[in-house]
Amino acid sequence: MTDERDVDLQRALALSAVPVPPEIDARILDAAGRRRARRRWPLAAAGALMAAATALFFAFRPAPAQARDVNHDGRVDVLDAYRLARAVEAGETAPRWDLNRDGRVDRADVDGIMTALVSLQ
Amino acid sequence: MKRLLLAFLLCSLEAAASTPRPADEGVRFRTLDVVLTSDAPIAAWQVEITTDGGDSRIVGVEGGAEPPFDAPPRHDPAALQSGRIILAAFDTGRALPAGKHRVATLHLREAGAAPRYQIELVAAGDPAGERVSATVTVDPRSPTP
């Protein structure tokens, strides 16, 4: 039974062993490549979207509690907001105090601390 | 006849409006003064107030008795209608002199058993931004029905 199948297969292979012209070969390879490329773009788009989302998350993530501890006493309270407000009024603009990451150290950063410390969340 | 009907309708409406609903029974309003006492001048302060027992909701926040803390202190609007609130305020230009001062007033709606109010001083600072020792108390005024 197995021998008969082998023979059939050999015959079929012999029949299909017609030489394929190289231009047809090239077209088949080209079409396969295009199909593969079409399949790849959704993956590439998803990857780009994830990268953009990650970049946005890191750019606009809320300042960690450590950053809000302006006076370095190990806790975040109104004295940190007060210290930062005085620094802003004095024109001190250390980049670490740009808590809202808008490129400026100003009253909005002080407000950010105040909002966070009275929040019940 | 129409006038009589209209008068009857108006009387019924007024009677319905003035009848206390079951949900409003026992409801009273209380004012709670937040008083800060310190031997040093105060430029910044933060307190947390919680209610325990009974049905009490914060319905309003008012500033203190004198500048620079006569404006309502910073608080989370979500605290209104709840029983817990964090209040904080500072002023970089002026400070309260040493002594006893009302720095804020809370308005509360109470129902049922009388609730207990707890207040905790989170921080108080002098004009240099240094932490100072202070005591904070709540002074409830008599409730009004």
Side-chain angles (χ1 to χ4, degrees):
Chain A
M1 187 73 179
T2 313
D3 292 343
E4 280 173 22
R5 271 192 192 165
D6 286 347
V7 171
D8 285 347
L9 189 63
Q10 279 169 9
R11 258 186 224 149
L13 284 170
L15 282 173
S16 68
V18 180
V20 179
E23 61 269 23
I24 291 179
D25 230 8
R27 275 189 201 170
I28 290 169
L29 282 172
D30 187 41
R34 266 183 279 151
R35 259 202 307 275
R36 214 176 301 142
R38 268 203 299 273
R39 255 183 252 143
R40 252 184 240 147
W41 85 260
L43 273 176
L49 208 64
M50 280 180 70
T54 310
L56 280 173
F57 171 76
F58 280 105
F60 294 102
R61 74 187 189 278
Q66 199 182 350
R68 293 195 295 261
D69 183 10
V70 177
N71 60 5
H72 304 291
D73 65 351
R75 45 183 156 171
V76 177
D77 55 32
V78 71
L79 299 183
D80 297 290
Y82 181 73
R83 185 66 67 86
L84 183 55
R86 289 184 69 200
V88 168
E89 285 178 6
E92 294 172 37
T93 54
R96 68 178 183 281
W97 291 335
D98 181 16
L99 302 174
N100 62 4
R101 294 179 171 80
D102 66 349
R104 289 175 299 183
V105 177
D106 55 16
R107 191 76 195 185
D109 298 296
V110 179
D111 280 345
I113 296 181
M114 287 298 277
T115 302
L117 63 87
V118 300
S119 172
L120 297 182
Q121 301 300 317
Chain B
M1 183 66 189
K2 273 184 187 175
R3 280 186 189 167
L4 202 67
L5 199 66
L6 190 68
F8 176 73
L9 196 69
L10 283 172
C11 285
S12 307
L13 279 174
E14 194 180 324
S18 61
T19 306
R21 287 172 293 164
D24 289 344
E25 280 174 16
V27 169
R28 59 205 178 269
F29 291 89
R30 187 187 290 276
T31 305
L32 212 64
D33 290 336
V34 178
V35 179
L36 196 67
T37 309
S38 171
D39 291 335
I42 298 292
W45 59 271
Q46 180 183 347
V47 299
E48 179 168 348
I49 300 154
T50 48
T51 60
D52 186 22
D55 176 15
S56 175
R57 288 182 220 163
I58 299 155
V59 292
V61 179
E62 205 182 298
E66 56 204 293
F69 299 122
D70 50 345
R74 185 69 80 91
H75 61 277
D76 187 346
L80 298 179
Q81 300 300 321
S82 84
R84 176 175 168 246
I85 193 166
I86 299 169
L87 304 173
F90 70 79
D91 193 291
T92 54
R94 294 167 296 175
L96 276 179
K100 188 175 180 180
H101 303 276
R102 177 168 65 84
V103 290
T105 297
L106 293 184
H107 296 276
L108 299 117
R109 177 189 184 275
E110 293 178 354
R116 283 182 300 148
Y117 297 101
Q118 293 175 332
I119 186 161
E120 181 197 349
L121 179 71
V122 180
D126 65 12
E130 296 301 325
R131 194 175 298 277
V132 294
S133 158
T135 55
V136 66
T137 51
V138 281
D139 184 10
R141 296 183 206 164
S142 300
T144 52

